[in-house]
Amino acid sequence: MNQEEFYYEGTNPKRVKIICVILVILFIIVVGIYIYIRSTYTLNVKSKVIVELGSEVSNNITDYIDNKIADEKDYTLNLKGVSISDNKYDLVGEYQYKVKYKSITKKGKIVVKDTTPPDVEIEEAKVGIDEEIEPDEFVKSCVDYSRPCNVEVNGTSIEELVQHAGTYTVNLVISDQYNNKVNKTASLEVKKGYSRADVIQSDLKIDHIDEKVEDFKNELYIKYDKALAPHDFEHNEEYQTLAEAATSSLYNYLPEEYKLNRVDDFLLFPVFNKYNYVVGVAIRVTLDNGKTMYLSK
């Protein structure tokens, strides 16, 4: 027998090495694809969502998670506990939100900040010599979620300016409670023989109310002969008497045809002139038959 007819074919080490490398590469690719799909289409919430006070609340799930979404219907957003009014963030602070994806629920944080300065409209003022006027009396309107608006004079004080007749520029700084500021200038006329107080108190024209009442049509229960400053109004005996009586019983104020109806709700509120002085008081009642009316004497 020829020795050449028999041979032994040994394993090729190079070939085995190549196969192993290929298997490792395939394994890495498969694991990578699995990790990618799992991380992409699972649930990774954002640890912190920063929003501005007064901004609209988003119900778009993509604003709260980092992963890709195959179907938004698989995700449920829970904003319970977040301070929201009229679909707007209405209070500065940190709140927790939750997102549920299938059987997984994760938590994130919503941070509500106020970095917006007040939106202010200024008006000019006229006073008599040595007559007092507060800085906020130059502010016609101040719109800001972080009220109250604080008004300060920057530069020469009003007390100095009113000592002599003339027209002056008053530099104002208006800020909210989070120290967002806006600078404004107002014109102040100091006139001899003039009384701003008399003008304000004699202005009985209805300008605005502070309550959110849409059906108010200037129907007053109390009409003052002289407009009252807000701090004087709070201690006004006529208003206090009315407030106490209204709290205990409103039936004495109802028209005769409605005496048999039950008062389900009522609102007692002051009405202001353009100087923010009180010119009167309104009473709005809602009866058990759904009728809403303003009472009058």
Side-chain angles (χ1 to χ4, degrees), residues 14-283:
K14 187 175 182 181
R15 184 178 180 185
V16 172
K17 188 176 181 180
I18 293 174
I19 293 173
C20 290
V21 171
I22 293 174
L23 290 175
V24 171
I25 293 173
L26 289 175
F27 177 78
I28 293 174
I29 291 174
V30 171
V31 171
I33 292 173
Y34 173 78
I35 294 174
Y36 173 77
I37 293 174
R38 184 173 178 81
S39 63
T40 302
Y41 295 103
T42 181
L43 181 57
N44 295 312
V45 300
K46 295 180 178 179
S47 60
K48 186 180 293 185
V49 177
I50 300 176
V51 297
E52 183 69 17
L53 181 68
S55 62
E56 293 283 343
V57 177
S58 171
N59 290 310
N60 189 340
I61 200 68
T62 60
D63 291 334
Y64 301 91
I65 61 176
D66 285 325
N67 52 270
K68 292 185 178 180
I69 296 176
D71 189 348
E72 289 190 16
K73 295 180 181 178
D74 292 335
Y75 297 83
T76 302
L77 175 65
N78 184 345
L79 296 177
K80 186 178 180 181
V82 183
S83 186
I84 296 172
S85 177
D86 297 328
N87 201 44
K88 293 182 178 180
Y89 296 105
D90 63 354
L91 189 63
V92 169
E94 294 187 359
Y95 306 91
Q96 185 182 88
Y97 74 91
K98 298 179 182 178
V99 177
K100 183 178 181 182
Y101 172 70
K102 296 183 179 179
S103 61
I104 305 172
T105 300
K106 290 189 178 181
K107 302 174 183 178
K109 184 185 294 183
I110 292 177
V111 179
V112 183
K113 294 185 175 183
D114 184 1
T115 62
T116 304
D119 183 9
V120 179
E121 184 178 355
I122 298 297
E123 61 183 356
E124 62 182 21
K126 183 190 293 186
V127 298
I129 294 178
D130 290 329
E131 189 173 23
E132 294 183 359
I133 179 172
E134 297 298 325
D136 59 4
E137 293 185 63
F138 291 97
V139 178
K140 184 177 182 180
S141 67
C142 181
V143 179
D144 193 274
Y145 277 91
S146 298
R147 293 183 67 87
C149 293
N150 180 51
V151 187
E152 297 179 346
V153 175
N154 182 19
T156 306
S157 68
I158 295 177
E159 290 77 7
E160 292 180 68
L161 296 177
V162 299
Q163 293 177 7
H164 306 282
T167 301
Y168 306 97
T169 297
V170 181
N171 297 310
L172 303 170
V173 180
I174 302 96
S175 59
D176 61 20
Q177 63 173 304
Y178 294 103
N179 208 32
N180 299 302
K181 299 179 179 179
V182 61
N183 296 304
K184 295 286 184 177
T185 59
S187 176
L188 173 64
E189 181 182 354
V190 182
K191 187 175 182 180
K192 186 177 180 180
Y194 180 84
S195 172
R196 177 178 172 82
D198 289 345
V199 172
I200 292 175
Q201 292 175 2
S202 62
D203 183 356
L204 299 176
K205 184 177 179 180
I206 295 174
D207 182 75
H208 65 279
I209 59 177
D210 286 344
E211 304 295 333
K212 294 182 179 180
V213 181
E214 296 180 355
D215 62 348
F216 178 64
K217 297 179 181 178
N218 298 349
E219 299 163 278
L220 297 178
Y221 184 81
I222 295 178
K223 299 178 181 178
Y224 293 121
D225 296 328
K226 183 170 68 173
L228 300 177
H231 58 272
D232 293 331
F233 167 72
E234 293 174 1
H235 303 289
N236 179 263
E237 291 185 5
E238 186 178 12
Y239 172 74
Q240 291 296 336
T241 301
L242 177 62
E244 292 172 4
T247 302
S248 59
S249 175
L250 284 168
Y251 296 99
N252 295 332
Y253 305 103
L254 289 175
E256 285 298 327
E257 61 266 35
Y258 296 107
K259 290 286 188 182
L260 297 179
N261 289 97
R262 183 181 71 250
V263 177
D264 283 346
D265 193 18
F266 80 94
L267 183 63
L268 184 71
F269 57 90
V271 181
F272 302 90
N273 63 16
K274 68 178 182 179
Y275 301 101
N276 211 38
Y277 271 49
V278 181
V279 299
V281 178
I283 304 179

Side-chain angles (χ1 to χ4, degrees), residues 280-295:
V281 178
I283 304 179
R284 179 182 185 270
V285 297
T286 302
L287 305 179
D288 56 355
N289 60 2
K291 182 176 178 60
T292 297
M293 68 175 67
Y294 286 85
L295 304 184

